[in-house]
DNA sequence: TCCACGACTATTGTTGACAATCATGTCGCC
DNA sequence: GGCGACATGATTGTCAACAATAGTCGTGGA
């Protein structure tokens, strides 16, 4: 793994974890001393993250951490929903018995987490569920796009997790998806996933009406 | 527009038009003299195109024009189908009267082109149809992803167009989409688009079984 | 004859410096 | 006091040079 890739990962990580809040300027020279490397290396990282949609880059005016409006977060989630449904359908077709068992175990852990009896956070299990699904589907193209979209809207997802009572609803939706996959029900899995993401969008929309731009 | 952006567009154009066939090595020094610029500029373009999925870049081993297998072309088309269905649904909701008329005019032109009575090629009209749909939808996130996916599989789409009798089928599918949009039928538009892309996949799959890897 | 080892070449990874551009603040003028 | 031209500083765009790496070819020995 080359140096540039490392810096890219570090910077992406720092952006996603809030070290650089949305709107922050990413001055190349400052980043060079933060990550201890040349400007070209930082530059390459910025180009990469720019085409991932995490940073804005204007000619001769520098890069900033991209600000994602609620409206755009909704679009991102819609696109993600379309692709995750595809993934769910493929997972229902391709997954083997072992993988199905593992998926159900994640759902069980989710139930424990909601009841406060788990040492894993619900957010972690949620990520694990979707990651596992992507692997089961074997659909690398959709998987890559979804991973990207997930990062882009990460800041809004974070707010979602805080919402009281949200996790309980979410668990049952995940259970429905796992159940459809258990039964090799491709359209059912896609529909369940679609319903899940649609419910996320609904929350985003309500939050958007109440909250700031 | 900065120099790097220009070079990036030029290189992308050259790749899509076959000046650099799939698998070709993209040696930085050669590109500098072809496009008359420094290596850093070429490098930035390669990074950009790499994250668009058009070129492969291995550490210390250089860049090559990405080779897309038929299997991957199918995945790309599946993902594109999921997103285009979303776009079609949004177009059915948001398009105004004027836009609907323009869309139907494209379909009419397509019919003429199939009958050999048009000066525009069918491929051009096809692109126009989908581009117009993206604009009508107002869904910039999905639109961007679809444009990218389209480029990635461009080489295979080219072979599709040659297939005899394919255009005639395709026209009616486009007509069905336009009709659903005319009637503000969101699920209908999505379903018609899904059927359209599914038929493309079917052709790709048949071709893949017969042709080379 | 075949394999292991080592130097060589080609190409990429990285750095620092120079030129071009944009934003900011100052000065003079009205 | 307000407004516009101009100089200044900060930041990016581009380039050429150096260092590091992977692939290749040739050589020597078993």
């Amino acid at each position: 793994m080359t140096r540039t890739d490392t810096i890219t990962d570090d910077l992406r990580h720092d952006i996603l974890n809030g070290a650089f809040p949305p709107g922050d300027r990413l001055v190349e020279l400052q980043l060079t001393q933060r990550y201890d490397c040349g400007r070209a290396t930082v530059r390459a990282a910025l180009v990469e993250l720019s085409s991932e949609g995490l940073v804005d880059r204007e000619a001769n005016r520098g890069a900033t951490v991209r600000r994602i409006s609620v409206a755009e977060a909704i679009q991102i989630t819609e696109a993600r929903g379309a692709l995750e449904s595809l993934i769910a359908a493929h997972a229902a077709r391709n997954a083997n018995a072992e993988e199905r068992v593992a998926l159900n175990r994640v759902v069980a852990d989710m139930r424990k987490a909601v009841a406060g009896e788990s040492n894993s956070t619900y957010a972690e299990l949620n990520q694990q569920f979707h990651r596992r699904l992507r692997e089961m589907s074997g659909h690398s193209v959709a998987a890559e796009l979804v991973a990207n979209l997930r990062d882009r809207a990460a800041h809004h997802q974070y707010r979602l997790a805080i919402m009281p009572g949200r996790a309980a609803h979410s668990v049952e939706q995940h259970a429905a998806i796992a159940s459809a996959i258990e039964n090799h029900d491709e359209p059912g899995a896609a529909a369940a996933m679609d319903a899940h993401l649609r419910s996320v969008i609904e929350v985003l929309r309500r939050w958007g009406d109440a909250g700031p731009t």
Side-chain angles (χ1 to χ4, degrees), chain A:
Chain A
M1 188 194 244
T2 176
R3 191 77 188 278
T4 301
D5 296 332
T6 312
I7 304 291
T8 304
D9 289 343
D10 288 351
L11 182 54
R12 187 191 294 111
H13 183 268
D14 286 346
I15 289 176
L16 293 179
N17 284 55
F20 297 105
D24 249 28
R25 291 193 59 187
L26 297 171
V27 179
E28 296 179 358
L29 209 65
Q30 292 175 5
L31 297 179
T32 57
Q33 56 194 45
R34 182 185 228 264
Y35 298 108
D36 188 41
C37 64
R39 215 158 62 87
T41 309
V42 168
R43 220 176 151 68
L46 288 175
V47 170
E48 170 73 26
L49 294 179
S50 165
S51 64
E52 285 182 20
L54 262 60
V55 318
D56 264 337
R57 249 166 64 83
E58 263 178 300
N60 293 317
R61 294 184 51 183
T64 58
V65 178
R66 179 131 195 225
R67 208 176 241 131
I68 303 291
S69 68
V70 173
E72 192 172 0
I74 290 174
Q75 285 201 352
I76 289 173
T77 310
E78 283 174 344
R80 208 187 117 194
L83 293 168
E84 292 253 35
S85 296
L86 180 64
I87 286 175
H90 275 249
R93 185 193 311 173
N94 298 333
N96 58 42
E98 186 185 356
E99 288 171 328
R100 289 166 214 268
V101 171
L103 193 67
N104 280 322
R105 197 174 316 141
V106 174
V107 173
D109 284 347
M110 281 177 157
R111 288 216 167 88
K112 279 195 220 159
V114 169
E117 300 167 0
S118 169
N119 40 11
S120 303
T121 71
Y122 183 76
E124 281 169 355
L125 292 168
N126 186 26
Q127 279 200 20
Q128 198 179 111
F129 182 90
H130 287 276
R131 176 159 22 92
R132 225 173 259 270
L133 221 58
R134 276 178 272 170
E135 290 165 7
M136 290 162 72
S137 72
H139 203 300
S140 55
V141 171
E144 194 185 334
L145 293 173
V146 165
N148 181 340
L149 290 172
R150 179 178 192 80
D151 282 352
R152 283 214 239 174
H155 207 258
H156 291 271
Q157 301 286 349
Y158 173 71
R159 285 191 160 124
L160 215 74
I162 299 177
M163 209 144 188
R166 167 84 198 137
H169 271 277
S170 185
V171 166
E172 293 316 313
Q173 293 169 352
H174 285 93
I177 296 166
S179 164
I181 288 175
E182 183 82 38
N183 299 329
H184 297 66
D185 179 6
E186 296 183 32
M193 179 63 85
D194 192 57
H196 173 41
L197 272 294
R198 212 188 297 269
S199 127
V200 171
I201 290 172
E202 196 50 45
V203 176
L204 279 175
R205 189 164 283 143
R206 261 206 298 274
W207 203 92
D209 291 342
T213 59

